[in-house]
């Protein structure tokens, strides 16, 4: 990452979390959702541009600490994309799992199109056809 970008251990502030999701193109979430969930992750990192004090990227891992680890909220502001921030966050999350989890963790994510090449570079592969991701859709 560039000189003024700093990787910070922990989730971003709530307002930054909501903004990062919305401005990066992820589905926007309410304050209630953010407040309830933001501090519930097993590990989280965010990136601050010290030149502006702006939070510009983030990622979190939901996990049971044993073997289930699910990567979520990977987001970088559009103006800061393609500068290695997503890779730095993902590397930190995977290092946290490697150091804090028992051997053979099951690390998953739901890959939106913009993140696929990044995830593949880190060793993620598609699970289909053996397993496919499913989501509950309410009428
Ligand atoms: C997915 C996302 C988090 C990646 O963040 P990012 O900071 O752009 O990621 P990186 O810069 O580490 O890597 C992205 C690409 O930029 C390239 N890159 C990294 N540093 C670079 C640099 N200095 N100059 C040019 N390209 C660079 C990487 O090689 C990578 O290329 P690849 O996609 O072909 O592998 C970001 O694109 C994003 O927020 N997208 C919208 C939200 C979203 O879809 N999130 C994923 C949900 S699953």
């Amino acid at each position: 990452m560039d000189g003024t970008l700093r990787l910070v251990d922990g989730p971003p502030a709530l307002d930054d979390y909501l903004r990062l999701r919305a401005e990066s193109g992820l589905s926007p979430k309410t304050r209630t959702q953010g407040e309830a969930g933001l501090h519930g992750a097993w590990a989280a990192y965010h990136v601050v541009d010290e030149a502006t004090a702006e939070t510009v990227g983030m990622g979190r891992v939901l996990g049971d600490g044993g073997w289930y680890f699910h990567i979520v909220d990977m987001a970088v502001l559009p103006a800061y994309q393609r500068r290695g921030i997503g890779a730095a966050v993902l590397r930190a999350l995977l290092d946290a799992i490697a150091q804090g989890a028992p051997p053979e963790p099951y690390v998953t994510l739901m890959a939106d199109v913009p993140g696929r090449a990044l995830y593949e570079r880190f060793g993620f592969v598609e699970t289909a056809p053996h397993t496919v991701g499913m989501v509950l859709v309410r009428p």
Side-chain angles (χ1 to χ4, degrees):
M1 293 194 299
D2 294 356
T4 62
L5 297 173
R6 184 165 57 92
L7 183 68
V8 182
D9 190 348
L14 177 60
D15 285 337
D16 296 328
Y17 174 74
L18 299 176
R19 175 172 174 245
L20 270 166
R21 279 202 63 100
E23 292 193 12
S24 72
L26 296 179
S27 58
K29 296 301 165 202
T30 65
R31 292 190 75 78
T32 305
Q33 288 174 311
E35 265 165 5
L38 189 54
H39 294 282
W42 184 81
Y45 284 91
H46 65 283
V47 172
V48 174
D49 185 347
E50 290 186 322
T52 59
E54 186 178 31
T55 297
V56 299
M58 66 174 178
R60 305 196 298 151
V61 178
L62 310 180
D64 66 0
W67 72 285
Y68 275 115
F69 298 90
H70 191 63
I71 292 174
V72 298
D73 284 333
M74 286 290 300
V76 173
L77 292 179
Y80 282 85
Q81 290 176 8
R82 301 195 68 81
R83 290 166 59 174
I85 296 173
V89 169
L90 185 57
R91 189 175 299 112
L93 295 173
L94 296 177
D95 284 351
I97 295 170
Q99 288 162 22
E104 299 188 31
Y106 183 64
V107 184
T108 55
L109 52 78
M110 298 286 275
D112 291 353
V113 170
R116 281 186 197 166
L118 173 66
Y119 302 141
E120 283 171 0
R121 274 199 287 127
F122 277 80
F124 286 85
V125 298
E126 293 187 29
T127 57
H130 177 64
T131 305
V132 295
M134 297 183 74
V135 63
L136 182 62
V137 179
R138 302 213 172 270

